[in-house]
C-alpha cells in the first residue's frame, strides 16, 4: 500500500507447475531448492517458456535446461525476454504491433527489449516503446 494507491497490492498467485516439470525438479534437489526460492513471477516465466515449446522433444529439452539453469543459480530462463507492463499495454493498444510482436523470434523480441531498456531515462524509455510499436505496426522486425 502506498499514498498513490491506497489499496493493498494483491499477492501474486502461485503458478500451477506442470507434472513433467514437477517430476524433473523432484529428481534434481539443487534445482528444486532454487525453484522454491524464486518469486511466483520468475516461476511463471520458466513455466511459460517451457509451455511455449511446440514439440514434445523441445519441451523435454527445455525442462532439462531449466533444471540445469536453476541448479546453477539462474533466476530466469536464459532466452525468455521479460515484457514490461508499459510495453505490454502499448502492444495491447496497437493490434498491428501486437500481431507483429507475436510473430517475432525470441531473439528479435530480446533485441527490441534490449534497445528499449538501454535508456535510463523514463521519458526516453516511453518514447522508445512508442517508436517500437510504430516500427512493429509497419512490419519491421528489428529496432
Amino acid at each position: 500500500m502506498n499514498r498513490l494507491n491506497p489499496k493493498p497490492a494483491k499477492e501474486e498467485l502461485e503458478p500451477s507447475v506442470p507434472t513433467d516439470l514437477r517430476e524433473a525438479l523432484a529428481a534434481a534437489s539443487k534445482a528444486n531448492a532454487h525453484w522454491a526460492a524464486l518469486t511466483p513471477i520468475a516461476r511463471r516465466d520458466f513455466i511459460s517458456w517451457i509451455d511455449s515449446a511446440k514439440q514434445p522433444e523441445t519441451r523435454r529439452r527445455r525442462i532439462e535446461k531449466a533444471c540445469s539453469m536453476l541448479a546453477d543459480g539462474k533466476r530466469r530462463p536464459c532466452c525468455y525476454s521479460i515484457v514490461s507492463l508499459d510495453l505490454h499495454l502499448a502492444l495491447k493498444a496497437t493490434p498491428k504491433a501486437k500481431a507483429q510482436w507475436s510473430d517475432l523470434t525470441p531473439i528479435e523480441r530480446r533485441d527490441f527489449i534490449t534497445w528499449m531498456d538501454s535508456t535510463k531515462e523514463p521519458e526516453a524509455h516511453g518514447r522508445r516503446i512508442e517508436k517500437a510499436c510504430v516500427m512493429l505496426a509497419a512490419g519491421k522486425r528489428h529496432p
Side-chain angles (χ1 to χ4, degrees):
M1 184 177 346
N2 63 35
R3 291 184 331 189
L4 297 176
N5 184 9
K7 295 180 184 176
K10 292 181 183 175
E11 189 170 316
E12 190 65 35
L13 297 176
E14 188 65 35
S16 175
V17 181
T19 304
D20 49 357
L21 176 58
R22 190 177 324 115
E23 290 170 355
L25 289 169
S29 60
K30 193 171 181 183
N32 199 21
H34 282 117
W35 177 263
L38 293 178
T39 66
I41 292 172
R43 287 189 205 116
R44 183 169 296 128
D45 285 348
F46 270 105
I47 292 168
S48 177
W49 174 61
I50 290 166
D51 284 346
S52 69
K54 293 182 176 79
Q55 301 290 325
E57 180 60 23
T58 304
R59 181 182 178 88
R60 185 192 61 72
R61 280 194 316 265
R62 286 185 183 180
I63 289 172
E64 287 177 6
K65 186 166 176 102
C67 288
S68 174
M69 287 188 289
L70 287 163
D72 290 342
K74 298 205 176 181
R75 302 186 63 78
R76 297 276 185 192
C78 64
C79 50
Y80 188 74
S81 300
I82 300 168
V83 177
S84 70
L85 179 60
D86 293 337
L87 176 57
H88 175 75
L89 293 174
L91 290 170
K92 186 177 177 182
T94 317
K96 281 186 176 181
K98 184 176 181 181
Q100 179 71 1
W101 180 263
S102 297
D103 290 339
L104 296 179
T105 66
I107 292 171
E108 290 169 331
R109 289 181 189 178
R110 185 187 64 215
D111 290 346
F112 266 104
I113 290 171
T114 301
W115 173 71
M116 287 180 270
D117 290 346
S118 66
T119 181
K120 303 296 181 206
E121 299 172 20
E123 298 82 22
H125 185 261
R127 286 192 303 271
R128 286 198 179 177
I129 288 174
E130 291 173 13
K131 188 172 182 179
C133 287
V134 169
M135 289 188 283
L136 289 164
K140 294 191 177 187
R141 299 182 70 89
H142 301 281

XYZ file of all heavy atoms in Angstrom, residues 38-136:
802
model
N 12.482 -18.952 -5.809
C 12.063 -17.995 -6.833
C 10.761 -17.297 -6.448
O 9.951 -17.836 -5.697
C 11.841 -18.705 -8.174
C 13.046 -19.303 -8.875
C 12.600 -20.002 -10.161
C 14.086 -18.254 -9.178
N 10.555 -16.126 -7.015
C 9.279 -15.438 -6.863
C 8.247 -16.132 -7.759
O 8.613 -16.811 -8.729
C 9.381 -13.963 -7.285
O 9.642 -13.912 -8.691
C 10.453 -13.229 -6.504
N 6.961 -15.972 -7.466
C 5.944 -16.561 -8.348
C 6.064 -16.069 -9.793
O 5.840 -16.839 -10.732
C 4.624 -16.094 -7.719
C 4.946 -15.916 -6.275
C 6.362 -15.390 -6.261
N 6.468 -14.825 -9.988
C 6.610 -14.301 -11.352
C 7.764 -14.994 -12.073
O 7.642 -15.348 -13.252
C 6.794 -12.767 -11.334
C 5.504 -12.101 -10.861
C 7.197 -12.233 -12.707
C 5.610 -10.619 -10.616
N 8.876 -15.212 -11.395
C 10.001 -15.907 -12.017
C 9.616 -17.348 -12.347
O 9.974 -17.866 -13.421
C 11.220 -15.877 -11.096
N 8.874 -17.998 -11.455
C 8.410 -19.370 -11.739
C 7.497 -19.369 -12.956
O 7.584 -20.239 -13.816
C 7.666 -19.944 -10.530
C 8.570 -20.308 -9.404
C 7.797 -21.064 -8.322
N 8.481 -20.867 -7.070
C 7.996 -20.246 -6.014
N 6.772 -19.790 -6.017
N 8.706 -20.091 -4.936
N 6.616 -18.356 -13.033
C 5.708 -18.256 -14.171
C 6.491 -18.080 -15.474
O 6.124 -18.637 -16.504
C 4.733 -17.096 -13.965
C 3.711 -17.004 -15.087
C 2.590 -16.059 -14.777
N 1.843 -16.565 -13.638
C 1.563 -15.848 -12.550
N 1.936 -14.603 -12.463
N 0.880 -16.378 -11.561
N 7.600 -17.322 -15.440
C 8.417 -17.153 -16.646
C 8.991 -18.493 -17.107
O 8.981 -18.800 -18.297
C 9.548 -16.158 -16.399
C 9.066 -14.716 -16.365
O 7.906 -14.465 -16.765
O 9.854 -13.845 -15.942
N 9.512 -19.277 -16.169
C 10.032 -20.601 -16.534
C 8.919 -21.475 -17.119
O 9.108 -22.109 -18.161
C 10.649 -21.307 -15.311
C 12.113 -21.025 -15.108
C 12.524 -20.175 -14.102
C 13.080 -21.613 -15.907
C 13.866 -19.903 -13.891
C 14.427 -21.353 -15.711
C 14.821 -20.504 -14.698
N 7.770 -21.495 -16.465
C 6.663 -22.334 -16.934
C 6.190 -21.882 -18.311
O 5.953 -22.695 -19.205
C 5.510 -22.331 -15.906
C 5.964 -23.056 -14.632
C 4.258 -22.976 -16.479
C 5.036 -22.864 -13.445
N 6.087 -20.575 -18.506
C 5.659 -20.043 -19.796
C 6.649 -20.412 -20.897
O 6.259 -20.788 -22.005
C 5.507 -18.523 -19.694
O 5.164 -17.983 -20.928
N 7.934 -20.307 -20.593
C 8.973 -20.658 -21.559
C 8.873 -22.134 -21.925
O 8.921 -22.497 -23.097
C 10.344 -20.312 -20.974
C 11.503 -20.742 -21.801
C 11.803 -20.354 -23.083
C 12.545 -21.631 -21.410
N 12.962 -20.956 -23.503
C 13.436 -21.736 -22.493
C 12.810 -22.342 -20.244
C 14.576 -22.536 -22.444
C 13.949 -23.121 -20.195
C 14.810 -23.221 -21.281
N 8.680 -22.985 -20.944
C 8.566 -24.425 -21.202
C 7.284 -24.720 -21.978
O 7.296 -25.469 -22.958
C 8.617 -25.214 -19.875
C 10.033 -25.130 -19.288
C 8.187 -26.661 -20.069
C 10.147 -25.564 -17.846
N 6.175 -24.109 -21.568
C 4.889 -24.352 -22.230
C 4.838 -23.816 -23.656
O 4.002 -24.251 -24.446
C 3.742 -23.740 -21.432
C 3.376 -24.553 -20.199
O 3.823 -25.715 -20.092
O 2.643 -24.021 -19.340
N 5.723 -22.885 -24.005
C 5.701 -22.326 -25.357
C 6.335 -23.258 -26.390
O 6.256 -22.996 -27.588
C 6.387 -20.961 -25.390
O 7.783 -21.098 -25.188
N 6.931 -24.354 -25.939
C 7.522 -25.320 -26.875
C 6.412 -25.978 -27.690
O 5.382 -26.375 -27.146
C 8.319 -26.376 -26.111
N 6.635 -26.101 -28.988
C 5.618 -26.687 -29.857
C 5.770 -28.207 -29.986
O 4.809 -28.913 -30.213
C 5.684 -26.033 -31.231
C 5.275 -24.566 -31.199
C 5.306 -23.968 -32.585
C 4.807 -22.554 -32.568
N 5.760 -21.581 -32.117
N 6.999 -28.698 -29.845
C 7.278 -30.129 -29.986
C 7.570 -30.748 -28.619
O 8.212 -30.107 -27.776
C 8.500 -30.337 -30.898
C 8.351 -29.769 -32.293
C 7.341 -30.563 -33.100
O 7.236 -31.771 -32.963
N 6.583 -29.862 -33.933
N 7.127 -31.983 -28.384
C 7.426 -32.649 -27.108
C 8.927 -32.737 -26.822
O 9.347 -32.579 -25.672
C 6.812 -34.043 -27.269
C 5.801 -33.910 -28.350
C 6.284 -32.810 -29.251
N 9.721 -32.951 -27.844
C 11.176 -33.045 -27.649
C 11.751 -31.699 -27.198
O 12.631 -31.647 -26.342
C 11.853 -33.508 -28.940
C 13.354 -33.643 -28.843
C 13.814 -34.652 -27.795
O 13.051 -35.564 -27.432
O 14.959 -34.515 -27.313
N 11.254 -30.614 -27.768
C 11.705 -29.278 -27.355
C 11.301 -29.026 -25.914
O 12.102 -28.503 -25.119
C 11.099 -28.193 -28.263
O 11.431 -28.486 -29.621
C 11.595 -26.808 -27.889
N 10.113 -29.415 -25.550
C 9.652 -29.246 -24.167
C 10.556 -30.019 -23.211
O 10.965 -29.502 -22.178
C 8.207 -29.724 -24.042
C 7.646 -29.550 -22.645
C 6.217 -30.097 -22.567
N 5.701 -29.981 -21.233
C 5.069 -28.915 -20.749
N 4.853 -27.861 -21.511
N 4.652 -28.892 -19.505
N 10.890 -31.261 -23.561
C 11.759 -32.080 -22.724
C 13.119 -31.419 -22.546
O 13.644 -31.329 -21.441
C 11.927 -33.485 -23.337
C 12.713 -34.436 -22.456
C 13.113 -35.708 -23.185
N 13.965 -35.466 -24.337
C 15.253 -35.091 -24.267
N 15.823 -34.905 -23.108
N 15.958 -34.912 -25.367
N 13.685 -30.901 -23.660
C 14.984 -30.220 -23.583
C 14.899 -28.962 -22.722
O 15.819 -28.661 -21.967
C 15.483 -29.861 -24.990
C 16.115 -30.998 -25.733
C 16.888 -30.527 -26.969
N 16.201 -29.536 -27.764
C 15.454 -29.794 -28.837
N 15.271 -31.034 -29.236
N 14.886 -28.809 -29.503
N 13.811 -28.222 -22.836
C 13.659 -27.001 -22.038
C 13.550 -27.328 -20.545
O 14.069 -26.592 -19.707
C 12.458 -26.192 -22.503
C 12.731 -25.489 -23.818
C 11.605 -24.589 -24.224
N 11.879 -23.993 -25.519
C 11.073 -23.163 -26.140
N 9.926 -22.809 -25.571
N 11.389 -22.669 -27.313
N 12.873 -28.414 -20.223
C 12.781 -28.816 -18.812
C 14.167 -29.171 -18.291
O 14.552 -28.757 -17.199
C 11.771 -29.967 -18.629
C 10.357 -29.436 -18.833
C 11.932 -30.627 -17.255
C 9.277 -30.502 -18.857
N 14.936 -29.914 -19.087
C 16.307 -30.252 -18.685
C 17.147 -28.989 -18.516
O 17.889 -28.845 -17.546
C 16.961 -31.166 -19.719
C 16.443 -32.578 -19.716
C 17.067 -33.425 -20.814
O 18.003 -32.950 -21.525
O 16.616 -34.565 -20.975
N 17.020 -28.070 -19.467
C 17.790 -26.830 -19.409
C 17.360 -25.985 -18.201
O 18.200 -25.382 -17.532
C 17.636 -26.041 -20.696
C 18.515 -24.811 -20.751
C 18.592 -24.261 -22.153
C 19.390 -22.996 -22.164
N 20.727 -23.149 -22.630
N 16.060 -25.938 -17.931
C 15.565 -25.179 -16.782
C 16.169 -25.737 -15.488
O 16.632 -24.970 -14.638
C 14.041 -25.225 -16.722
N 16.189 -27.052 -15.349
C 16.781 -27.661 -14.149
C 18.261 -27.337 -14.052
O 18.769 -27.040 -12.963
C 16.551 -29.174 -14.154
S 14.837 -29.634 -13.827
N 18.951 -27.350 -15.180
C 20.371 -27.018 -15.194
C 20.594 -25.551 -14.811
O 21.472 -25.236 -13.995
C 20.957 -27.290 -16.581
O 22.278 -26.849 -16.668
N 19.792 -24.652 -15.389
C 19.928 -23.226 -15.074
C 19.629 -22.974 -13.596
O 20.345 -22.216 -12.935
C 18.991 -22.386 -15.950
C 19.441 -22.270 -17.383
S 18.465 -21.094 -18.346
C 16.922 -21.936 -18.501
N 18.584 -23.611 -13.078
C 18.230 -23.433 -11.670
C 19.337 -23.962 -10.764
O 19.686 -23.325 -9.768
C 16.904 -24.129 -11.372
C 15.665 -23.426 -11.927
C 14.481 -24.381 -11.957
C 15.347 -22.183 -11.123
N 19.891 -25.108 -11.115
C 20.980 -25.682 -10.314
C 22.191 -24.756 -10.308
O 22.941 -24.704 -9.331
C 21.354 -27.056 -10.839
N 22.372 -23.994 -11.398
C 23.475 -23.030 -11.485
C 23.131 -21.705 -10.807
O 23.929 -20.767 -10.825
C 23.840 -22.765 -12.946
C 24.515 -23.952 -13.606
O 25.016 -24.837 -12.874
O 24.536 -24.005 -14.850
N 21.910 -21.578 -10.276
C 21.523 -20.374 -9.560
C 20.856 -19.312 -10.407
O 20.595 -18.205 -9.929
N 20.545 -19.608 -11.672
C 19.883 -18.609 -12.522
C 18.432 -18.472 -12.094
O 17.787 -19.426 -11.709
C 19.984 -19.025 -13.978
C 21.425 -19.088 -14.425
C 21.579 -18.901 -15.879
C 23.075 -18.894 -16.168
N 23.374 -18.695 -17.510
N 17.938 -17.238 -12.189
C 16.597 -16.954 -11.697
C 15.573 -16.701 -12.812
O 14.395 -16.507 -12.541
C 16.644 -15.753 -10.755
C 17.593 -16.012 -9.571
C 17.564 -14.929 -8.546
N 16.282 -14.766 -7.898
C 15.802 -15.552 -6.921
N 16.490 -16.579 -6.512
N 14.630 -15.287 -6.390
N 16.014 -16.694 -14.046
C 15.124 -16.507 -15.200
C 15.613 -17.396 -16.332
O 16.809 -17.659 -16.450
C 15.154 -15.059 -15.708
C 14.670 -14.048 -14.727
C 13.181 -13.933 -14.771
N 12.790 -12.837 -13.877
C 11.576 -12.609 -13.496
N 10.608 -13.369 -13.912
N 11.304 -11.630 -12.673
N 14.696 -17.804 -17.223
C 15.139 -18.551 -18.400
C 16.113 -17.707 -19.216
O 15.952 -16.489 -19.317
C 13.854 -18.806 -19.182
C 12.756 -18.611 -18.201
C 13.255 -17.641 -17.176
N 17.087 -18.328 -19.794
C 18.163 -17.603 -20.478
C 17.675 -16.793 -21.671
O 18.187 -15.728 -21.939
C 19.232 -18.582 -20.949
S 18.623 -19.748 -22.187
N 16.736 -17.290 -22.389
C 16.363 -16.633 -23.644
C 14.906 -16.192 -23.637
O 14.282 -16.077 -24.674
C 16.622 -17.574 -24.810
S 15.908 -19.191 -24.556
N 14.376 -15.960 -22.480
C 12.990 -15.545 -22.360
C 12.980 -14.076 -21.967
O 13.344 -13.720 -20.862
C 12.292 -16.396 -21.300
C 10.807 -16.190 -21.230
C 9.976 -16.704 -22.207
C 10.248 -15.475 -20.192
C 8.618 -16.518 -22.141
C 8.888 -15.289 -20.110
C 8.078 -15.821 -21.086
O 6.732 -15.632 -21.024
N 12.592 -13.224 -22.897
C 12.602 -11.784 -22.651
C 11.413 -11.377 -21.811
O 10.287 -11.809 -22.043
C 12.562 -11.029 -23.973
O 13.677 -11.354 -24.744
N 11.652 -10.529 -20.851
C 10.593 -10.054 -19.972
C 9.976 -8.807 -20.590
O 10.658 -7.818 -20.846
C 11.148 -9.761 -18.572
C 11.734 -11.035 -17.979
C 10.074 -9.177 -17.682
C 12.546 -10.814 -16.741
N 8.685 -8.863 -20.836
C 7.961 -7.740 -21.416
C 7.465 -6.871 -20.270
O 6.712 -7.326 -19.413
C 6.780 -8.226 -22.283
C 5.991 -7.055 -22.823
C 7.281 -9.106 -23.408
N 7.901 -5.612 -20.247
C 7.478 -4.700 -19.182
C 5.986 -4.419 -19.306
O 5.392 -4.577 -20.379
C 8.262 -3.391 -19.263
O 7.871 -2.659 -20.411
N 5.393 -3.982 -18.216
C 3.974 -3.651 -18.234
C 3.700 -2.524 -19.228
O 2.704 -2.560 -19.959
C 3.498 -3.251 -16.834
C 2.032 -2.853 -16.729
C 1.117 -4.010 -17.151
C 1.698 -2.405 -15.327
N 4.598 -1.536 -19.301
C 4.423 -0.427 -20.249
C 4.384 -0.932 -21.690
O 3.533 -0.515 -22.479
C 5.547 0.603 -20.100
C 5.507 1.332 -18.781
O 4.421 1.383 -18.160
O 6.556 1.841 -18.359
N 5.297 -1.837 -22.034
C 5.318 -2.385 -23.388
C 4.079 -3.239 -23.629
O 3.455 -3.159 -24.692
C 6.594 -3.197 -23.623
C 6.695 -3.904 -24.975
C 6.575 -2.918 -26.136
C 7.983 -4.700 -25.067
N 3.721 -4.042 -22.649
C 2.530 -4.890 -22.778
C 1.290 -4.032 -23.067
O 0.504 -4.349 -23.963
C 2.338 -5.712 -21.505
C 1.087 -6.519 -21.494
N 0.937 -7.678 -22.228
C -0.093 -6.323 -20.853
C -0.273 -8.156 -22.035
N -0.914 -7.360 -21.206
N 1.114 -2.943 -22.323
C -0.047 -2.071 -22.523
C 0.000 -1.370 -23.878
O -1.033 -1.211 -24.542
C -0.129 -1.044 -21.392
C -0.430 -1.621 -20.008
C -0.331 -0.528 -18.948
C -1.797 -2.296 -19.970
N 1.203 -0.973 -24.304
C 1.341 -0.314 -25.608
C 1.016 -1.289 -26.741
O 0.353 -0.923 -27.715
C 2.754 0.247 -25.770
N 1.472 -2.520 -26.623
C 1.164 -3.531 -27.642
C -0.330 -3.843 -27.666
O -0.922 -4.010 -28.731
C 1.972 -4.807 -27.397
C 3.466 -4.715 -27.660
C 4.175 -5.961 -27.151
C 3.749 -4.498 -29.141
N -0.926 -3.898 -26.486
C -2.362 -4.169 -26.390
C -3.169 -3.074 -27.084
O -4.198 -3.346 -27.702
C -2.749 -4.273 -24.920
C -4.173 -4.698 -24.682
C -4.419 -4.847 -23.192
C -5.867 -5.193 -22.918
N -6.138 -5.290 -21.481
N -2.681 -1.838 -27.016
C -3.387 -0.707 -27.618
C -3.129 -0.584 -29.121
O -3.780 0.215 -29.794
C -2.973 0.594 -26.921
N -2.182 -1.359 -29.638
C -1.820 -1.298 -31.059
C -1.903 -2.701 -31.651
O -0.915 -3.427 -31.674
C -0.392 -0.734 -31.228
O -0.222 0.383 -30.361
C -0.114 -0.317 -32.657
N -3.078 -3.119 -32.145
C -3.251 -4.502 -32.610
C -2.254 -4.958 -33.680
O -1.781 -6.091 -33.635
C -4.678 -4.521 -33.154
C -5.373 -3.408 -32.439
C -4.319 -2.362 -32.205
N -1.903 -4.070 -34.633
C -0.931 -4.467 -35.665
C 0.437 -4.748 -35.052
O 1.114 -5.703 -35.417
C -0.800 -3.381 -36.737
C -1.900 -3.359 -37.744
C -1.589 -2.346 -38.838
C -2.627 -2.380 -39.920
N -2.316 -1.431 -40.988
N 0.841 -3.900 -34.115
C 2.130 -4.105 -33.444
C 2.099 -5.380 -32.617
O 3.066 -6.145 -32.605
C 2.459 -2.902 -32.558
N 0.982 -5.635 -31.949
C 0.866 -6.846 -31.135
C 0.948 -8.097 -32.004
O 1.608 -9.070 -31.646
C -0.449 -6.831 -30.350
C -0.584 -8.002 -29.409
C -1.844 -7.915 -28.575
C -1.923 -9.094 -27.627
N -3.137 -9.047 -26.823
N 0.299 -8.066 -33.160
C 0.351 -9.215 -34.075
C 1.775 -9.451 -34.561
O 2.247 -10.594 -34.619
C -0.594 -8.990 -35.255
N 2.466 -8.375 -34.906
C 3.852 -8.497 -35.370
C 4.746 -9.000 -34.228
O 5.617 -9.828 -34.441
C 4.363 -7.147 -35.890
C 5.794 -7.152 -36.377
C 5.993 -7.909 -37.686
O 5.065 -8.430 -38.278
N 7.232 -7.985 -38.126
N 4.525 -8.500 -33.011
C 5.306 -8.936 -31.848
C 5.172 -10.450 -31.663
O 6.134 -11.144 -31.388
C 4.832 -8.201 -30.597
C 5.563 -8.589 -29.356
C 5.166 -9.487 -28.421
C 6.827 -8.102 -28.917
N 6.101 -9.579 -27.423
C 7.127 -8.740 -27.706
C 7.736 -7.172 -29.430
C 8.293 -8.495 -26.992
C 8.894 -6.921 -28.716
C 9.168 -7.581 -27.518
N 3.946 -10.957 -31.852
C 3.700 -12.389 -31.684
C 4.462 -13.219 -32.709
O 4.793 -14.371 -32.449
C 2.212 -12.686 -31.804
O 1.512 -12.042 -30.767
N 4.745 -12.625 -33.862
C 5.453 -13.352 -34.920
C 6.975 -13.277 -34.797
O 7.680 -13.970 -35.514
C 5.045 -12.814 -36.306
C 3.609 -13.174 -36.656
O 3.076 -14.134 -36.068
O 3.025 -12.485 -37.515
N 7.474 -12.415 -33.911
C 8.930 -12.286 -33.758
C 9.525 -13.518 -33.103
O 8.879 -14.190 -32.303
C 9.275 -11.061 -32.904
C 8.906 -9.687 -33.440
C 9.305 -8.615 -32.424
C 9.562 -9.416 -34.776
N 10.779 -13.785 -33.431
C 11.511 -14.855 -32.752
C 11.919 -14.352 -31.373
O 11.948 -13.138 -31.131
C 12.774 -15.245 -33.537
O 13.678 -14.138 -33.517
C 12.454 -15.639 -34.971
N 12.263 -15.245 -30.456
C 12.731 -14.787 -29.145
C 13.936 -13.849 -29.240
O 14.042 -12.895 -28.470
C 13.098 -16.080 -28.422
C 12.222 -17.109 -29.043
C 12.115 -16.701 -30.493
N 14.824 -14.080 -30.186
C 15.998 -13.209 -30.345
C 15.566 -11.823 -30.815
O 16.072 -10.808 -30.321
C 17.022 -13.849 -31.308
C 17.611 -15.097 -30.654
C 18.110 -12.853 -31.695
C 18.457 -15.943 -31.568
N 14.619 -11.753 -31.745
C 14.135 -10.454 -32.220
C 13.422 -9.693 -31.089
O 13.604 -8.490 -30.938
C 13.191 -10.640 -33.414
C 13.909 -11.108 -34.667
C 12.972 -11.550 -35.783
O 11.853 -12.023 -35.484
O 13.368 -11.426 -36.953
N 12.646 -10.416 -30.282
C 11.999 -9.766 -29.137
C 13.038 -9.235 -28.161
O 12.923 -8.124 -27.652
C 11.079 -10.746 -28.413
C 9.841 -11.088 -29.175
C 8.987 -12.032 -28.381
N 7.894 -12.523 -29.208
C 7.010 -13.398 -28.803
N 7.055 -13.872 -27.582
N 6.066 -13.799 -29.613
N 14.053 -10.065 -27.890
C 15.109 -9.644 -26.970
C 15.810 -8.406 -27.499
O 16.123 -7.490 -26.741
C 16.113 -10.777 -26.762
C 17.172 -10.433 -25.724
C 18.246 -11.480 -25.642
N 18.958 -11.523 -26.912
C 19.442 -12.637 -27.445
N 19.317 -13.786 -26.840
N 20.069 -12.606 -28.599
N 16.045 -8.334 -28.818
C 16.691 -7.156 -29.405
C 15.853 -5.894 -29.186
O 16.385 -4.839 -28.839
C 16.947 -7.367 -30.898
C 18.037 -8.390 -31.176
O 18.773 -8.749 -30.232
O 18.134 -8.840 -32.338
N 14.542 -6.004 -29.382
C 13.665 -4.856 -29.140
C 13.710 -4.447 -27.674
O 13.849 -3.269 -27.343
C 12.211 -5.163 -29.543
C 11.853 -4.732 -30.935
C 11.753 -5.660 -31.960
C 11.607 -3.402 -31.229
C 11.418 -5.272 -33.248
C 11.273 -2.990 -32.511
C 11.175 -3.934 -33.526
N 13.572 -5.421 -26.782
C 13.549 -5.114 -25.351
C 14.874 -4.513 -24.907
O 14.897 -3.544 -24.144
C 13.180 -6.372 -24.542
C 11.711 -6.708 -24.794
C 13.443 -6.167 -23.049
C 11.265 -8.033 -24.239
N 15.983 -5.056 -25.385
C 17.302 -4.516 -25.037
C 17.417 -3.072 -25.511
O 17.911 -2.203 -24.783
C 18.422 -5.381 -25.654
O 18.289 -6.707 -25.149
C 19.793 -4.838 -25.320
N 16.952 -2.808 -26.723
C 17.008 -1.450 -27.270
C 16.153 -0.501 -26.426
O 16.589 0.593 -26.070
C 16.536 -1.463 -28.721
C 16.400 -0.106 -29.330
C 17.407 0.745 -29.678
C 15.175 0.559 -29.649
N 16.872 1.901 -30.202
C 15.514 1.811 -30.191
C 13.837 0.207 -29.535
C 14.546 2.718 -30.622
C 12.876 1.110 -29.969
C 13.242 2.353 -30.497
N 14.941 -0.935 -26.065
C 14.065 -0.073 -25.260
C 14.632 0.147 -23.862
O 14.548 1.241 -23.323
C 12.665 -0.686 -25.163
C 11.877 -0.576 -26.451
S 10.248 -1.309 -26.309
C 10.582 -2.982 -26.800
N 15.197 -0.892 -23.279
C 15.716 -0.804 -21.908
C 17.101 -0.173 -21.814
O 17.588 0.082 -20.713
C 15.762 -2.194 -21.267
C 14.376 -2.738 -20.974
O 13.405 -1.951 -21.022
O 14.261 -3.947 -20.702
N 17.736 0.089 -22.959
C 19.098 0.633 -22.931
C 19.152 2.092 -22.492
O 20.217 2.598 -22.158
C 19.782 0.470 -24.293
O 19.135 1.270 -25.263
N 18.031 2.762 -22.488
C 17.993 4.136 -21.997
C 17.564 4.133 -20.535
O 16.722 3.345 -20.129
C 17.042 5.018 -22.836
O 17.078 6.331 -22.323
C 15.636 4.496 -22.831
N 18.178 4.983 -19.758
C 17.904 5.018 -18.315
C 16.800 6.008 -17.942
O 16.227 5.916 -16.874
C 19.182 5.364 -17.535
C 20.324 4.422 -17.784
C 19.996 3.026 -17.298
C 21.168 2.096 -17.548
N 20.796 0.730 -17.690
N 16.514 6.947 -18.822
C 15.515 7.973 -18.528
C 14.111 7.449 -18.823
O 13.860 6.933 -19.909
C 15.779 9.215 -19.365
C 17.134 9.853 -19.089
C 17.436 10.969 -20.061
O 16.485 11.501 -20.677
O 18.615 11.293 -20.201
N 13.189 7.571 -17.880
C 11.830 7.057 -18.087
C 11.135 7.650 -19.316
O 10.433 6.928 -20.029
C 11.085 7.451 -16.806
C 12.152 7.635 -15.786
C 13.365 8.112 -16.531
N 11.352 8.945 -19.568
C 10.709 9.570 -20.739
C 11.244 8.980 -22.035
O 10.486 8.706 -22.965
C 10.913 11.100 -20.737
C 10.306 11.806 -19.550
C 11.193 11.763 -18.312
O 12.418 11.567 -18.427
O 10.637 11.916 -17.212
N 12.551 8.789 -22.099
C 13.165 8.210 -23.297
C 12.715 6.763 -23.472
O 12.481 6.310 -24.597
C 14.691 8.290 -23.215
N 12.577 6.057 -22.372
C 12.104 4.667 -22.434
C 10.686 4.624 -23.008
O 10.379 3.802 -23.874
C 12.147 4.043 -21.041
C 11.799 2.594 -21.021
N 10.555 2.148 -20.678
C 12.539 1.497 -21.321
C 10.532 0.831 -20.755
N 11.733 0.416 -21.140
N 9.832 5.525 -22.540
C 8.470 5.608 -23.060
C 8.433 5.933 -24.546
O 7.635 5.357 -25.294
N 9.305 6.848 -24.972
C 9.374 7.196 -26.402
C 9.825 5.998 -27.230
O 9.323 5.774 -28.332
C 10.305 8.379 -26.618
C 9.704 9.716 -26.169
C 10.520 10.911 -26.646
N 11.913 10.873 -26.207
C 12.368 11.381 -25.064
N 11.527 11.976 -24.223
N 13.651 11.320 -24.750
N 10.765 5.220 -26.687
C 11.233 4.039 -27.425
C 10.137 2.977 -27.525
O 10.037 2.292 -28.536
C 12.497 3.466 -26.791
C 13.695 4.338 -27.095
C 14.977 3.614 -26.886
N 16.094 4.490 -27.223
C 17.341 4.152 -27.082
N 17.664 2.969 -26.605
N 18.297 4.987 -27.419
N 9.332 2.847 -26.493
C 8.217 1.900 -26.561
C 7.247 2.330 -27.654
O 6.804 1.515 -28.468
C 7.507 1.785 -25.192
C 8.395 1.019 -24.209
C 6.140 1.111 -25.332
C 7.863 0.964 -22.797
N 6.931 3.635 -27.699
C 6.043 4.157 -28.745
C 6.645 3.921 -30.123
O 5.955 3.482 -31.052
C 5.789 5.647 -28.533
C 4.943 5.955 -27.324
C 4.850 7.451 -27.036
O 5.236 8.263 -27.897
O 4.387 7.797 -25.930
N 7.943 4.211 -30.269
C 8.609 4.028 -31.555
C 8.628 2.549 -31.946
O 8.437 2.207 -33.113
C 10.035 4.586 -31.489
C 10.726 4.613 -32.823
C 12.048 5.355 -32.762
C 12.683 5.393 -34.135
N 13.950 6.116 -34.127
N 8.835 1.668 -30.978
C 8.833 0.233 -31.264
C 7.474 -0.203 -31.787
O 7.391 -0.987 -32.739
C 9.206 -0.552 -30.011
N 6.404 0.314 -31.189
C 5.059 -0.036 -31.661
C 4.826 0.441 -33.086
O 4.231 -0.278 -33.896
C 3.998 0.511 -30.718
S 3.903 -0.377 -29.164
N 5.321 1.632 -33.406
C 5.196 2.162 -34.776
C 5.988 1.270 -35.737
O 5.490 0.904 -36.809
C 5.677 3.622 -34.842
C 5.808 4.099 -36.282
C 4.737 4.527 -34.053
N 7.223 0.908 -35.358
C 8.041 0.037 -36.213
C 7.392 -1.313 -36.415
O 7.331 -1.829 -37.545
C 9.434 -0.135 -35.627
C 10.312 1.117 -35.712
S 12.024 0.813 -35.236
C 11.900 0.764 -33.460
N 6.890 -1.903 -35.338
C 6.244 -3.212 -35.436
C 4.995 -3.146 -36.309
O 4.772 -4.021 -37.154
C 5.899 -3.742 -34.046
C 7.090 -4.183 -33.197
C 6.690 -4.313 -31.735
C 7.650 -5.505 -33.714
